[in-house]
Amino acid sequence: MNFRLILNIALHLLRARLKQTIVAGVGVTFGITMFITLVSFMNGLNDLLDNLMLNRTPHIRLYNEIKPSEHQPINQSSKYHNSVNFINSIKPKDRGKAIYNSKKVISALKSDSRVVNVAPKVVTPVFFNSGTIEISGVVNGIDVNAEEELFRFSDYIKEGKLTDLEQNNSIIIGNGIAQKMMLKVGDIVKVTTPKGSLTLLKIVGISQIGISEIDDAMTTTSIVTAQKLLGEPTNYITDIQLKLNDIALAPQLAKEFGSEFELDAVDYQTANAQFETGTRIRSIISYAVGVVLLIVAGFGIYNILNMMIYEKMDSIAILKATGFSGKDVKWIFMTLSMIIGIAGGTLGLIFGYIFSNIIDIIPFRTASLPTIETYPVNYNPIFYIIGATFAVFTTAIAGLFPSVKAAKVDPVEIIRGK
């Protein structure tokens, strides 16, 4: 089989039906362009939302949760030890929010090679006083350096600096609280703790995460100030936040660390299950739409090749009469289809990248996401590999059936009919 001759004949047929060839190529180009653009934009959006969640969520959080005691007195009794006991109206047991022996726990976690770093935290509900009005909120006492290293908290500060929290009795308030109480940097805010004590804190910054439920309640201070606010010693810690080298190990390590240190543990997947579900659904939709576009383009190629074979019956008969086998004829039309697919797919990849770049520079400014300036786009090379593979595969399938039909043409019947 002379591949050069087959290629020349296929190119001749393409030029003879140039308009139809261009239409088929444009169909493939459009399908690949929209596939690349849609998938890049949707995955960029997924990355934006995932980062918004992951940047403020530890991979693993260790803490003490208020819950019913697992060991009830009746279960300890030898008389009812082998019985099935149904206990109702169990009151929750308050083990205290403080993590016992927190410094040794943190030291052990930092020495674990699977852990990147540890950020201790003191969390307490408070009331912010504005005259006679009390607004509920939450104070997060953080280790400034660890919090910045693990969560880049400074990216979410609209006004002020994170390092200003190292000053005594200073606080960074959420944008929602600032708007409700008409506060600004430099003002003094009154804070009432759960124990009833009143403390005055100086506002050194305003933060905005982009999630209204958090911005309306969350404030941040140093871990030392939070301990003083509650009247607790310097070893008082309510939360230990972990970042891992391999985020996929989070569910497994959460169980391991929770059991080892006798603490409650939650991984980021459990804490943010709704984000994971939304990400999967958006990805499925984007890939489904892209695949449909490619299949539609494949049907266009199929129809055009069918028409071309019908109109070129004489040429096929002459080729067979001059010694071309059915396999040769099949490869002529398969080559024709592949040329359309490769050319259209290549142009589609180029235009897809161009359109993605255009989206990437379109301004996108919103008060809820102060760190975002343009629409998010993901340029992962795997999208282009998938697009190119689909282009070749779709056009190959679309050209296969007409090619087999052309290979079965009987030259005697065609010539006799003429």
Side-chain angles (χ1 to χ4, degrees), residues 199-400:
T199 305
L200 301 179
L201 298 177
K202 181 181 178 180
I203 299 173
V204 295
I206 297 176
S207 65
Q208 185 169 10
I209 303 298
I211 302 175
S212 59
E213 290 82 0
I214 297 178
D215 292 330
D216 288 345
M218 188 190 77
T219 61
T220 306
T221 186
S222 68
I223 197 169
V224 175
T225 300
Q227 290 165 345
K228 290 180 180 178
L229 190 68
L230 297 171
E232 299 289 351
T234 56
N235 64 347
Y236 180 82
I237 300 294
T238 62
D239 294 67
I240 297 177
Q241 305 170 105
L242 308 180
K243 283 277 186 173
L244 307 177
N245 287 307
D246 185 359
I247 193 173
L249 295 176
Q252 171 190 338
L253 293 181
K255 295 179 181 178
E256 178 183 329
F257 292 149
S259 175
E260 180 179 352
F261 300 112
E262 297 183 353
L263 295 169
D264 294 296
V266 61
D267 61 273
Y268 79 99
Q269 290 182 346
T270 303
N272 300 279
Q274 69 276 15
F275 280 95
E276 295 287 325
T277 302
T279 297
R280 286 196 296 269
I281 291 175
R282 286 189 296 271
S283 296
I284 291 172
I285 291 173
S286 60
Y287 279 107
V289 172
V291 169
V292 168
L293 289 172
L294 295 176
I295 291 175
V296 171
F299 275 110
I301 295 174
Y302 173 80
N303 290 331
I304 288 172
L305 288 181
N306 256 339
M307 291 298 298
M308 187 178 293
I309 290 170
Y310 178 77
E311 294 178 357
K312 294 294 180 181
M313 286 295 185
D314 293 349
S315 301
I316 295 172
I318 293 171
L319 288 172
K320 284 197 167 186
T322 55
F324 282 84
S325 65
K327 184 178 180 181
D328 293 332
V329 173
K330 183 182 75 172
W331 275 107
I332 288 172
F333 285 92
M334 279 295 296
T335 302
L336 189 152
S337 175
M338 295 304 295
I339 291 173
I340 295 174
I342 293 172
T346 302
L347 289 174
L349 296 178
I350 295 172
F351 282 113
Y353 179 77
I354 292 172
F355 286 1
S356 298
N357 269 274
I358 292 173
I359 294 174
D360 197 14
I361 62 176
I362 296 176
F364 175 63
R365 299 183 185 277
T366 174
S368 60
L369 298 171
T371 59
I372 305 301
E373 297 181 354
T374 60
Y375 283 97
V377 175
N378 187 329
Y379 294 97
N380 193 331
I382 192 66
F383 304 150
Y384 295 82
I385 295 173
I386 292 174
T389 303
F390 262 93
V392 174
F393 178 78
T394 304
T395 52
I397 295 299
L400 178 62

